[in-house]
Amino acid sequence: MGVVTSIGQDADTFYNNLLDGVSGISEIEAFDCSQFPTKIAGEIKSFSADGCVSPKLFKRADKSVLYLLTAGKKALADAGITEQVMDVLDKTRCGVIIGSALGGMKIFNDAIEALRVSYKKMNPFCVPFATTNVGSAILAMDLGWMGPNYSISSACATSNFCILNSANHIIRGETDLMLCGGSDAAIIPIGLGGFVACRTLSQRNDDPTKASRPWDTDRDGFVLGEGAGVLLLEELEHAKRRGAKIYSEFLGGSFTCDAYHMTDPHPDGMGIALCIEQALVQSGVSKENVNYINAHATSTLRGDLTEFQAIVRCFGQNPELRVNSTKSMIGHLLGASGAVEAVATIKAIQTGWVHPNINLENPDEAVDRDLLVGTKKESLDIKVALSNSFGFGGHNSSILFAPYK
């Protein structure tokens, strides 16, 4: 596993900060946002590529690509894929599917500004570095991996789509190893302005660490975040032969579409419930065995409740079930959110601790507080964990992990 987030740029630091309730939400420093009603975000203040990216590429590429390459190579290192291991891999059976909701937004924006002067001023790399697939392509070039390589862009459900599609390549016997996940870097004026225009962002500028508050009655919108998350999925026998450290088993998942509205979830949560139910069927998991859910819960008025209602519809009042939202501490990483939350889900399985829902001070009357993790971490022996991600356009995705036994 590899991550780049506002509260940690390796999986252990990231998850330890989650367990401690550390918030990565703060005032935006990358640009002057005084003209915007929202001035806060889950901004990465000091990013280091840790030798994962060449100096030339570091200067040229969008941050979404730099985050992707860094998280991807950290996942490889975490998996023990050394140069010696790399030399003996069948690279035609190794692939990369890492997506992005918005791609190289700054690269594209800079190109537009240059075009106002003359096309001759435009960066010759502006087209490839603005696309969502370029990060996966560059990573494959660096590694020499010749298997399936593409990106999926399904708004904030992107990462889960990439993870499940990667797993399917392995299940079909086409690949042995797949790097998968998502990356986004939209904390720039056009990104902030676009979401402000959608009226989706919190305006709690005077108290940033309290701004992201899923299921709390005082929530007023989500907080924009940035970063990347990458998992290395590996066929079991292949992993065992090389003595890999296995964190968990990927069981499966599902996708559905609300077919209802551009930005709002279907009010009865039908699409979400269908997605969860199909994920359980596809994975062969009974609902009674799911006792942890890392929810999409972004801190919006409608979204939080719709997802919670769907969870209750699918699982009932299971007294063992615990639900939390990683976004309470890092904000909403858009296309990267699902992969970063998958890392949090797997770390919960590994450690036996689920992180708190910080800022859950006054739970909404429509939710059952007994199902939600409190404001402190909780010990939990996870049997099966579910991670949800949903996106603009009505995209729903649910994936399932379990301890490897």
Side-chain angles (χ1 to χ4, degrees):
M1 300 178 287
V3 295
V4 175
T5 74
S6 59
I7 60 169
Q9 296 183 30
D10 66 82
D12 287 341
T13 301
F14 162 68
Y15 198 64
N16 287 336
N17 280 328
L18 286 178
L19 291 179
D20 290 340
V22 175
S23 174
I25 312 302
S26 59
E27 293 183 7
I28 295 171
E29 297 179 0
F31 59 93
D32 179 9
C33 54
S34 58
Q35 62 174 310
F36 297 106
T38 293
K39 302 173 176 60
I40 57 175
E43 184 181 44
I44 296 171
K45 303 298 186 187
S46 55
F47 168 66
S48 170
D50 292 333
C52 297
V53 181
S54 70
K56 183 182 291 187
L57 185 60
F58 194 89
K59 292 179 181 179
R60 288 177 173 173
D62 189 87
K63 280 186 177 180
S64 62
V65 172
L66 301 179
Y67 294 160
L68 180 159
L69 295 174
T70 303
K73 290 186 177 180
K74 287 183 175 182
L76 281 178
D78 186 50
I81 305 293
T82 62
E83 289 185 13
Q84 291 78 11
V85 174
M86 191 74 78
D87 287 341
V88 299
L89 289 178
D90 181 351
K91 295 182 177 62
T92 65
R93 294 180 58 81
C94 300
V96 185
I97 307 176
I98 304 174
S100 179
L102 298 173
M105 285 193 74
K106 187 175 189 305
I107 295 290
F108 192 74
N109 185 73
D110 290 348
I112 293 172
E113 293 302 315
L115 185 59
R116 295 181 191 279
V117 179
S118 168
Y119 75 90
K120 296 179 181 179
K121 297 291 185 180
M122 293 175 68
N123 181 342
F125 299 99
C126 66
V127 170
F129 279 150
T131 61
T132 63
N133 70 297
V134 69
S136 289
I138 292 174
L139 184 54
M141 292 174 203
D142 282 356
L143 304 175
W145 285 17
M146 299 173 64
N149 187 289
Y150 52 94
S151 69
I152 295 172
S153 187
S154 50
C156 304
T158 290
S159 286
N160 281 6
F161 277 61
C162 292
I163 292 168
L164 185 50
N165 274 271
S166 294
N168 285 339
H169 281 294
I170 296 174
I171 291 166
R172 290 197 298 265
E174 299 164 357
T175 57
D176 301 318
L177 291 162
M178 293 295 299
L179 282 166
C180 54
S183 180
D184 263 306
I187 304 176
I188 58 175
I190 193 172
L192 182 67
F195 283 108
V196 164
C198 285
R199 300 179 182 178
T200 57
L201 297 183
S202 170
Q203 297 182 21
R204 196 186 290 264
N205 301 308
D206 57 342
D207 197 0
T209 62
K210 297 286 188 181
S212 185
R213 42 197 319 113
W215 300 296
D216 192 84
T217 54
D218 294 326
R219 64 193 184 281
D220 69 328
F222 76 79
V223 177
L224 191 60
E226 63 178 352
V230 176
L231 306 180
L232 181 70
L233 299 186
E234 186 167 5
E235 193 275 327
L236 178 59
E237 296 305 319
H238 189 278
K240 287 163 68 175
R241 281 196 299 271
R242 70 176 188 88
K245 180 178 180 181
I246 301 172
Y247 290 116
S248 72
E249 178 183 2
F250 179 76
L251 301 180
S254 181
F255 321 124
T256 61
C257 180
D258 280 351
Y260 170 72
H261 190 270
M262 186 67 70
T263 58
D264 290 344
H266 197 290
D268 68 3
M270 179 174 58
I272 297 173
L274 178 64
C275 186
I276 294 171
E277 290 166 356
Q278 288 184 353
L280 294 173
V281 171
Q282 192 271 340
S283 305
V285 173
S286 66
K287 64 180 183 179
E288 292 80 13
N289 283 333
V290 176
N291 63 338
Y292 171 53
I293 298 175
N294 188 297
H296 180 67
T298 63
S299 188
T300 59
L301 294 174
R302 295 180 185 175
D304 290 6
L305 296 186
T306 302
E307 180 180 14
F308 193 87
Q309 290 161 1
I311 288 171
V312 172
R313 179 187 301 183
C314 293
F315 297 100
Q317 299 294 325
N318 181 351
E320 294 184 10
L321 184 62
R322 310 302 292 144
V323 182
N324 64 7
S325 171
T326 304
K327 294 180 182 72
S328 64
M329 286 170 270
I330 61 173
H332 193 351
L333 276 59
L334 308 179
S337 60
V340 171
E341 289 159 15
V343 171
T345 302
I346 294 163
K347 292 297 290 184
I349 291 171
Q350 180 193 357
T351 64
W353 290 94
V354 293
H355 69 69
N357 286 306
I358 70 167
N359 304 323
L360 186 61
E361 297 164 352
N362 299 295
D364 194 294
E365 292 181 358
V367 302
D368 181 356
R369 177 64 184 265
D370 290 338
L371 294 182
L372 298 175
V373 180
T375 54
K376 300 292 183 182
K377 67 180 181 182
E378 296 181 15
S379 175
L380 184 64
D381 182 14
I382 297 174
K383 293 185 286 188
V384 176
L386 171 75
S387 182
N388 287 331
S389 286
F390 316 127
F392 282 0
H395 303 295
N396 304 310
S397 62
S398 298
I399 56 177
L400 291 150
F401 297 94
Y404 170 67
K405 297 178 181 178

